[in-house]
Amino acid sequence: MSTCATDSRDLGEPLPGTAATARTWILLEQPGPWGAEALTSSHLDPALGRALRRAAKGTGVRIALIRRPGRHADFGTPPVRRVFAAHTVPGRVWLRTATTSDPRRLLDLDFDALSRGDHRTFDTALDGRAHTGDPLALICTNGKRDRCCALLGRPLAAELDGSDVPGVWEVTHLGGHRFSPTVLVLPYGYAYGRAEADGVKEVLHGVKEGRIVVDGCRGSSAWDRPGQAAELAVRRAADEYAAEALAVVRTTGEGPRWEVTVAHVDGRRWLVTVAQGASLPPRAESCGASVLGAPAQMDVVAVRELGRVAALAS
């Protein structure tokens, strides 16, 4: 059976520069079934879902629903929910956690502050604290968005959960379902596509060591898509995989061509030329698409190391 994911894989569509963009993620536990627009089509109060979506719009904060792997029978509203918040910009990365019996408390959050990396509003509104457990592996399983997420994502989540891999959650939407199974790993915010269980285990092991695995990586959600491709290209060129060693500090130009400056904490800098191309031949960009398309892809044209400047402040 041909799906958008098999077409993307068979046609060799590149992964770098395809991750969802979010400086900060808010994840709210919501068991049970999810609809295509999960914030407003699940057991979460749809009025609250709409209010949260409005509050986060344009702030750089992305809200998603999560649930534990397994069967998702319609058991109604849980009495207590887990909430996570993660900021993904290097140098200020954090992962906070809380529980709440009233998800309306999320409306007390200052989303602009969260986007800047200030977690005090999360701690105050929800009695939040630092997450001291294992990294989170969020696997998109929402078949109402695209059947590939259910056909490929749910078995991966079940396999990892059955292997006692900690920190595994199902999530509503990470974008790019044609790259299913798609995974977001927090706290650092790197996304992966066409994931397999052994690869996810390797990624999580790397995160525990403060190291980023670039194989199968779509990019860091902290950057826009040209920045994602540029940062991954510098990691490979410089053989640098420390999680917070690199940052995108400047992007000039407009599509279809950008000049992206990537800085190392030790003062080294690189100028990366990124051009937007098209993935050909045309293919279905999702299983529900009625017409074929040529998805945009980020092509790294050149990576040039510049002179060293003063080291980045920690």
Side-chain angles (χ1 to χ4, degrees):
M1 177 180 64
S2 178
T3 64
C4 66
T6 57
D7 288 348
S8 177
R9 183 190 297 268
D10 292 346
L11 293 170
E13 185 177 352
L15 292 169
T18 65
T21 56
R23 295 165 64 87
T24 301
W25 291 83
I26 300 293
L27 307 166
L28 172 64
E29 184 177 6
Q30 179 57 67
W34 297 331
E37 299 294 336
L39 279 179
T40 55
S41 53
S42 67
H43 284 305
L44 185 69
D45 178 0
L48 173 59
R50 287 190 291 271
L52 288 171
R53 191 162 53 196
R54 286 195 300 269
K57 185 176 181 180
T59 65
V61 176
R62 187 169 177 133
I63 303 172
L65 303 182
I66 57 173
R67 64 191 178 195
R68 290 295 190 183
R71 295 183 64 249
H72 304 297
D74 192 349
F75 291 130
T77 302
V80 178
R81 307 161 192 251
R82 193 76 175 268
V83 188
F84 294 99
H87 187 64
T88 63
V89 177
R92 301 194 300 276
V93 169
W94 46 255
L95 178 58
R96 313 292 289 183
T97 187
T99 57
T100 184
S101 58
D102 183 5
R104 291 174 296 180
R105 293 174 66 187
L106 271 68
L107 292 175
D108 296 331
L109 298 174
D110 183 335
F111 289 93
D112 287 316
L114 288 167
S115 181
R116 295 192 302 269
D118 183 349
H119 58 69
R120 289 175 296 179
T121 178
F122 183 84
D123 297 347
T124 300
L126 296 166
D127 299 320
R129 60 196 181 279
H131 174 69
T132 57
D134 290 277
L136 304 185
L138 309 170
I139 302 169
C140 184
T141 62
N142 190 354
K144 295 296 185 180
R145 296 283 302 192
D146 190 280
R147 62 179 176 173
C148 287
C149 297
L151 292 173
L152 301 174
R154 291 197 65 190
L156 175 62
E159 181 178 356
L160 290 169
D161 188 58
S163 300
D164 295 323
V165 176
V168 176
W169 294 81
E170 298 185 10
V171 67
T172 48
H173 186 49
L174 298 176
H177 28 248
R178 65 188 182 278
F179 304 119
S180 295
T182 59
V183 183
L184 176 72
V185 178
L186 296 174
Y188 298 119
Y190 284 80
Y192 293 83
R194 304 177 189 136
E196 297 179 353
D198 287 345
V200 175
K201 292 175 185 178
E202 181 184 355
V203 168
L204 292 172
H205 180 70
V207 168
K208 289 181 182 180
E209 298 179 338
R211 174 174 51 84
I212 300 303
V213 172
V214 298
D215 291 342
C217 191
R218 300 173 62 193
S220 166
S221 74
W223 317 126
D224 61 15
R225 293 188 175 182
Q228 293 171 13
E231 190 245 24
L232 288 176
V234 170
R235 285 195 178 277
R236 291 186 181 277
D239 198 29
E240 176 57 81
Y241 305 107
E244 297 189 73
L246 300 177
V248 174
V249 296
R250 187 182 184 193
T251 301
T252 60
E254 298 180 355
R257 194 177 184 90
W258 300 266
E259 300 288 342
V260 182
T261 303
V262 178
H264 194 287
V265 290
D266 67 8
R268 285 178 292 166
R269 294 199 174 206
W270 291 262
L271 186 65
V272 184
T273 303
V274 180
Q276 180 175 304
S279 296
L280 296 173
R283 79 290 306 274
E285 296 186 54
S286 68
C287 289
S290 57
V291 296
L292 301 181
Q297 66 183 49
M298 295 293 128
D299 297 320
V300 173
V301 177
V303 178
R304 180 164 62 94
E305 187 168 356
L306 306 175
R308 188 184 296 264
V309 299
L312 295 176
S314 60

